[in-house]
Amino acid sequence: YLNLFKFLTRQATKKVVLFLASAVLLWGANLDQKALETKCEKADTASCYELGAIYQEGKNYQKAGEFYKKACELKHASACSSVGVLYDMDYIKDVNNKNAAKFYQKGCELNDGFGCARLGFVYTLDKNYQKSKELFLRACELKDGDGYYGLGLLYYDGNGVEQDAKKAKELFEKSCDLGHPAGCNSLGMMLHSGKYVEKDQKRASKLFIKACEMSFADACHNIGVIYFETKGDKNLAKKYFGKSCELGNDEDCQIYNAL
């Protein structure tokens, strides 16, 4: 089944592992990291942030958090929001469940649209829709796709605003145009179902493929369902269910193995 609007988006990041056969190259990479650490110790904000990203890519989340926090202290907006994500995803233990919001707030105050949008989702979960709307609007001002997506959800469901599907569609369009896969997927769902809008399944399929190519698991699932049920193409269906499985949709792993 096509599952519309899973509220918290699974933003899967494509991981690329480089196997460096040369010991010289590995040694050089270590030297680069050492150089970044030296610069970070001297309060070079960009170096601290880059180190955080390196450790996050290596799944050393504790170390990533340390460098992101240092960059955040040095007023690096994205670093503050990145710390929020680490807490939000439970990569770093959040004892009082308030640290994610705290760091999203810092990012937002430093004009990071993503931080504003993520804080908006925190308030949405608490059903403080007025506050979440304010934060989504601020994220939209900063041209963040998450902000348009979050605001679109409010208008689609009529939470804190008058229900307006046409407005929701426009916001999902803007979110998708800014490269936000959840916005593309939600727009695709509206067009596929024809609920509140004119049905356009051909465009819906293109939107699901676009979102899937941006590693949005639910979109891969949706296009897999379409190829299996509507087009009768089991090979392509299996391809997309397989990608959805790789991105963390366990149910699609079972479907993939059964095809």
Side-chain angles (χ1 to χ4, degrees):
Y1 295 96
L2 297 179
N3 194 349
L4 179 58
F5 304 139
K6 289 190 177 179
F7 184 70
L8 291 178
T9 63
R10 284 192 291 268
Q11 297 181 339
T13 304
K14 200 174 185 179
K15 302 295 180 184
V16 180
V17 181
L18 299 177
F19 295 97
L20 300 177
S22 168
V24 176
L25 286 175
L26 285 170
W27 180 65
N30 288 333
L31 275 183
D32 288 343
Q33 192 163 320
K34 287 286 185 186
L36 287 172
E37 288 174 2
T38 300
K39 289 181 180 179
C40 180
E41 287 170 5
K42 295 177 180 177
D44 183 79
T45 311
S47 296
C48 297
Y49 178 73
E50 192 171 339
L51 282 165
I54 289 168
Y55 280 110
Q56 184 177 355
E57 183 70 20
K59 297 186 179 179
N60 187 339
Y61 300 117
Q62 200 65 39
K63 205 73 173 165
E66 290 174 16
F67 283 108
Y68 280 145
K69 283 178 181 177
K70 184 157 187 178
C72 179
E73 289 168 5
L74 295 167
K75 309 295 186 188
H76 192 296
S78 293
C80 299
S81 299
S82 295
V83 179
V85 171
L86 293 178
Y87 279 118
D88 216 354
M89 301 297 290
D90 290 327
Y91 292 141
I92 301 177
K93 188 67 178 175
D94 191 350
V95 179
N96 58 17
N97 293 318
K98 292 181 179 179
N99 279 318
K102 181 176 92 173
F103 281 97
Y104 288 147
Q105 178 74 44
K106 287 184 178 181
C108 184
E109 288 171 355
L110 292 168
N111 295 324
D112 180 52
F114 176 75
C116 298
R118 295 308 301 175
L119 186 59
F121 284 115
V122 172
Y123 279 105
T124 303
L125 286 174
D126 291 337
K127 298 187 177 180
N128 187 341
Y129 300 122
Q130 190 55 45
K131 187 66 177 176
S132 60
K133 179 187 174 185
E134 291 172 12
L135 287 158
F136 290 144
L137 284 169
R138 177 61 183 144
C140 292
E141 289 173 3
L142 295 166
K143 306 299 181 187
D144 180 81
D146 257 321
Y148 285 106
Y149 170 65
L151 194 58
L153 286 177
L154 293 184
Y155 276 101
Y156 185 88
D157 293 323
N159 288 328
V161 294
E162 186 176 345
Q163 200 274 344
D164 187 338
K166 183 180 178 182
K167 181 75 171 175
K169 179 178 177 286
E170 291 172 358
L171 290 162
F172 292 144
E173 288 265 18
K174 288 181 180 178
S175 175
C176 185
D177 289 344
L178 287 168
H180 187 65
C184 300
N185 184 64
S186 294
L187 178 60
M189 287 304 313
M190 291 187 78
L191 294 172
H192 184 270
S193 68
K195 187 176 181 181
Y196 303 128
V197 297
E198 186 177 347
K199 186 179 286 190
D200 187 344
Q201 295 186 336
K202 185 175 180 181
R203 188 177 175 217
S205 294
K206 289 180 179 179
L207 287 163
F208 292 143
I209 290 170
K210 179 178 179 178
C212 180
E213 288 173 350
M214 289 188 278
S215 298
F216 192 75
D218 292 339
C220 301
H221 168 85
N222 289 341
I223 192 63
V225 170
I226 288 171
Y227 275 113
F228 185 77
E229 294 187 349
T230 307
K231 299 180 183 292
D233 191 329
K234 289 187 178 180
N235 290 328
L236 274 176
K238 185 169 184 174
K239 170 188 169 183
Y240 286 110
F241 284 131
K243 184 159 186 181
S244 176
C245 170
E246 289 171 5
L247 293 169
N249 271 353
D250 293 337
E251 291 177 6
D252 283 347
C253 298
Q254 297 174 30
I255 297 172
Y256 175 83
N257 291 327
L259 287 176

